[in-house]
Amino acid sequence: MIPYILQYLHSDVTPGEAGNVFWMVVYVLLTFAGVSIGVIFMNWFERKVMAHMQVRLGPMRVGPHGLLQPIADALKLIIKEDLTPASADKLVFWFAPVCVVMTAFCTFIVVPFGRTHAITDMNIGVVFMVGVSSLGVLGVIMAGWASNSQYPLLGSLRSGAQMVSYEIAMCMAVVSAVMMTSMSGEGTLSMIRIVEAQLHQHVWYAFEFFPVGLTALGVFSIAMIAETNRAPFDLPEAESELVAGFHTEYSGFRWSLFFLAEYAGMMAVSAVAVTLWLGGWLRPFPNWLGGARWDTVFSLAPGLTFLLLAALCVIYTVRMAALRVMRANAIGLAAFGAVLGLVGLVCLLPAVRVRVQDIYWFVVKVGFFMYLYVWYRSTFPRYRFDQLMKVGWKVLLPISIAVVVLTALVGVRDELFAMVWR
Amino acid sequence: MTPVATPFFFYLISGIAIVSALVMITKVNPVHSALALIVTLLASAGLYLMLYAPFMAGVQIVLYAGGILVMFLFVMMLVNIEHLYVEKKWNRQSLLALLGALSLSGLVITALVRGAHTLPQHTIALEESTNTQGIGRLLYSATEGYYVFAFEVASVLLLVAVVGAVVMAKRRV
């Protein structure tokens, strides 16, 4: 048993490729726990950022600067009564949130947080991600239909139409990135090999064939917002028109499952965008600031980030008003800062930092996309449904098809010139 | 690495597929039938995986479970369910059905008995890690088979279905 566990540590492949069941389970638990913590953090972060963009304070009461607000919310949701409408289709009503959460979390099986930091590497990685996340719409439709009520039904109809039509543009953009992998050797659909192809070609696919890759990323990053039903494309849950859309009849824990799935799905599509176009776990500026010395400098980044966060915590502890009611908050924030500082120091150790930097860069890039989600939500007004369909079918789809054709043409340009000038 | 394609998984996945197919044809509510059909399709994607054909499994999930069945459900949600409970579920063509079932099972049994001589004894073990690339080569490579034309001809069939649907929808306006 022990040798079986230790044997994996000497290999440099994912546990799925090594076929090591123990580490597979460990990685699954770690990934799912990480995603859940990410969702909890996003809940706080989104409310805080949106509040500051609208010149408010946001959650301030529970814990220092509202840091414990998501935990309080989760407790409230678990305690809240879980209603099932009398005329609902009980089985489908029960299964809908399960289906949504299952599909949202399943996609993380192939997400590569690093060369060895993925649960497994599949030959069909991208197809698997797109396919499984497209099954999420089934849960939304089931929820809307099983509620046996008008608003949820309309919400799920909208979401079905929206997700099906934006999926096409999204997949076309993915095809263009997959075609770029064949520029160095054999093309591939596997998430890890796509990042390795970017490493070998010394370019992130966002900057490959200059405007082409960037356009594909643009199309994808618009379509992925529609695919995850977020503002400005959040018509399935448009509050002013449909109360809460497809999850109007859900409450308590089952509603929180929809919430969890929405944010996990956002992270999953952001992870696809990062893997395909922004070099996955690769550090920024590999050509401009290349070489072993810069590698060392960039590998210090995770530790320094944690130390910076710890310093912020210390500053806010000092600045906190010296009142008796604030004492618990001040102690809590100081303790949080101490923990962050310890993590930062551990991340600076040479043995740790070479393993942690992959995960760090991947998470930072995904975090950037998550920030964009919040930014869009507080910036853009919601689309009307016909406008949404027009954007999907008449703008994004033609652009994405053109991107695929252009990628193919630019990819074989040498052969084309050879044919013309022969 | 130990193979996943053990008999246990084969019987498990096949069992799920058969049971959900039976559920699909016996349920009165069409939405329940469609959901059971999705389970059948996902189980057959699992069977493709057991044959070391991951690309087929992925396409099965994307196209059938994710695409076509979503459209099915989409239409069915708008159907008035009440009158379906009144309609007859089974038709009375038992003689014809018996004939069909007998001839089909006869065909399968003949294939199993006689096929030992004519069919190859073992299938070619396709490497799982090169499955997608293999399909690509069969489609586009001029040396290893050039099935792209046949593939496109088959897709014209789907185009015919689309045109037919548009024509039928237009007539009522």
Side-chain angles (χ1 to χ4, degrees):
Chain A
M1 187 67 195
I2 304 288
Y4 180 72
I5 294 169
L6 292 179
Q7 172 196 333
Y8 168 70
L9 293 176
H10 299 294
S11 65
D12 53 352
V13 290
T14 60
E17 284 168 278
N20 197 313
V21 179
F22 174 81
W23 284 101
M24 258 190 260
V25 173
V26 170
Y27 269 55
V28 166
L29 292 178
L30 277 180
T31 311
F32 287 5
V35 171
S36 308
I37 291 171
V39 171
I40 291 173
F41 173 72
M42 267 307 290
N43 182 11
W44 174 81
F45 183 72
E46 178 167 27
R47 292 171 67 176
K48 214 60 186 167
V49 168
M50 275 181 57
H52 284 288
M53 282 179 179
Q54 295 159 355
V55 204
R56 296 184 284 121
L57 279 177
M60 284 297 278
R61 300 280 167 160
V62 191
H65 288 266
L67 268 174
L68 300 178
Q69 185 70 45
I71 296 171
D73 284 351
L75 272 177
K76 170 234 166 191
L77 280 171
I78 290 169
I79 299 167
K80 192 175 172 181
E81 187 188 1
D82 199 350
L83 287 170
T84 307
S87 61
D89 192 312
K90 298 285 182 308
L91 187 68
V92 182
F93 191 81
W94 171 82
F95 191 65
V98 178
C99 170
V100 173
V101 168
M102 255 168 32
T103 51
F105 274 80
C106 259
T107 47
F108 283 93
I109 289 173
V110 288
V111 170
F113 292 93
R115 174 62 190 88
T116 58
H117 303 121
I119 295 169
T120 188
D121 181 32
M122 282 191 201
N123 180 244
I124 52 157
V126 180
V127 179
F128 179 83
M129 281 213 69
V130 173
V132 173
S133 60
S134 77
L135 287 183
V137 67
L138 283 176
V140 171
I141 288 180
M142 273 152 67
W145 179 80
S147 300
N148 208 350
S149 157
Q150 308 304 329
Y151 288 133
L153 185 67
L154 282 175
S156 65
L157 273 179
R158 280 182 176 190
S159 111
Q162 175 180 334
M163 285 163 119
V164 168
S165 37
Y166 275 78
E167 211 176 346
I168 303 170
M170 201 167 125
C171 291
M172 282 291 177
V174 168
V175 166
S176 122
V178 169
M179 277 158 80
M180 286 171 184
T181 62
S182 66
M183 293 298 290
S184 62
E186 204 164 43
T188 177
L189 289 170
S190 132
M191 301 285 269
I192 285 179
R193 299 240 192 87
I194 287 173
V195 179
E196 282 181 339
Q198 296 178 55
L199 181 66
H200 294 143
Q201 295 177 27
H202 301 290
V203 65
W204 292 359
Y205 287 149
F207 309 110
E208 180 94 319
F209 309 147
F210 172 57
V212 180
L214 211 58
T215 320
L217 175 60
V219 169
F220 187 90
S221 53
I222 295 170
M224 80 186 196
I225 296 162
E227 188 75 8
T228 45
N229 296 327
R230 290 282 299 183
F233 302 114
D234 59 344
L235 289 145
E237 40 195 306
E239 292 90 354
S240 50
E241 300 154 29
L242 296 175
V243 188
F246 60 87
H247 54 59
T248 305
E249 301 291 346
Y250 284 85
S251 61
F253 186 63
R254 279 190 266 199
W255 180 84
S256 71
L257 286 183
F258 278 111
F259 184 84
L260 187 67
E262 180 182 335
Y263 281 81
M266 281 156 63
M267 286 181 203
V269 284
S270 306
V272 175
V274 166
T275 312
L276 290 183
W277 285 283
L278 294 182
W281 67 80
L282 305 175
R283 71 174 175 83
F285 309 120
N287 302 329
W288 181 39
L289 303 175
R293 189 180 297 164
W294 281 110
D295 279 347
T296 321
V297 170
F298 274 100
S299 74
L300 293 175
L304 293 181
T305 311
F306 275 107
L307 288 180
L308 182 75
L309 288 175
L312 276 178
C313 283
V314 170
I315 289 171
Y316 278 105
T317 314
V318 173
R319 280 183 55 190
M320 205 172 267
L323 298 172
R324 270 191 70 194
V325 284
M326 300 294 273
R327 192 170 294 161
N329 270 358
I331 293 172
L333 195 58
F336 189 57
V339 171
L340 285 178
L342 261 180
V343 173
L345 287 178
V346 170
C347 286
L348 284 179
L349 296 174
V352 177
R353 68 179 183 226
V354 290
R355 285 167 193 273
V356 166
Q357 56 174 348
D358 289 354
I359 305 175
Y360 173 77
W361 288 117
F362 194 87
V363 170
V364 162
K365 288 169 188 172
V366 171
F368 171 69
F369 273 91
M370 301 304 281
Y371 178 74
L372 284 184
Y373 268 114
V374 179
W375 194 358
Y376 295 150
R377 185 173 165 193
S378 51
T379 309
F380 296 122
R382 185 180 292 131
Y383 273 79
R384 218 169 52 216
F385 196 70
D386 61 322
Q387 291 171 333
L388 173 96
M389 283 294 151
K390 199 180 276 176
V391 170
W393 289 102
K394 293 188 179 169
V395 180
L396 286 185
L397 186 59
I399 291 178
S400 59
I401 291 175
V403 161
V404 170
V405 174
L406 270 178
T407 315
L409 283 179
V410 182
V412 294
R413 61 189 183 279
D414 294 339
E415 287 86 341
L416 276 181
F417 283 134
M419 267 168 67
V420 172
W421 295 112
R422 189 171 46 182
Chain B
M1 187 175 168
T2 48
V4 192
T6 50
F8 169 74
F9 275 103
F10 174 75
Y11 288 120
L12 182 73
I13 294 173
S14 319
I16 292 172
I18 291 169
V19 168
S20 54
L22 285 175
V23 169
M24 186 217 131
I25 53 169
T26 48
K27 279 279 179 188
V28 182
N29 192 328
V31 175
H32 288 167
S33 294
L35 292 176
L37 183 58
I38 290 169
V39 177
T40 313
L41 292 172
L42 289 180
S44 52
L47 287 177
Y48 283 130
L49 275 184
M50 295 200 56
L51 294 170
Y52 293 98
F55 188 74
M56 288 300 293
V59 168
Q60 174 92 358
I61 293 174
V62 173
L63 276 186
Y64 287 94
I68 294 175
L69 258 293
V70 168
M71 298 314 281
F72 266 34
L73 277 175
F74 199 68
V75 176
M76 277 171 201
M77 284 199 300
L78 300 175
V79 175
N80 189 7
I81 291 172
E82 273 75 33
H83 79 265
L84 288 173
Y85 284 94
V86 191
E87 266 181 24
K88 238 186 338 189
K89 180 79 182 168
W90 309 96
N91 57 22
R92 303 280 166 83
Q93 294 171 321
S94 48
L95 196 70
L96 220 66
L98 190 71
L99 213 73
L102 276 180
S103 54
L104 183 67
S105 50
L107 195 70
V108 171
I109 290 169
T110 321
L112 279 178
V113 173
R114 293 281 193 80
H117 308 293
T118 47
L119 297 176
Q121 282 294 318
H122 51 84
T123 48
I124 306 154
L126 197 64
E127 196 55 30
E128 186 241 341
S129 54
T130 56
N131 174 260
T132 314
Q133 284 84 349
I135 289 174
R137 252 182 249 116
L138 278 180
L139 274 179
Y140 299 114
S141 160
T143 48
E144 292 180 50
Y146 202 60
Y147 289 104
V148 66
F149 182 70
F151 181 75
E152 292 298 333
V153 168
S155 70
V156 170
L157 203 68
L158 290 177
L159 189 69
V160 171
V162 171
V163 171
V166 169
V167 168
M168 280 168 74
K170 271 272 176 198
R171 200 172 287 160
R172 290 196 202 105
V173 177

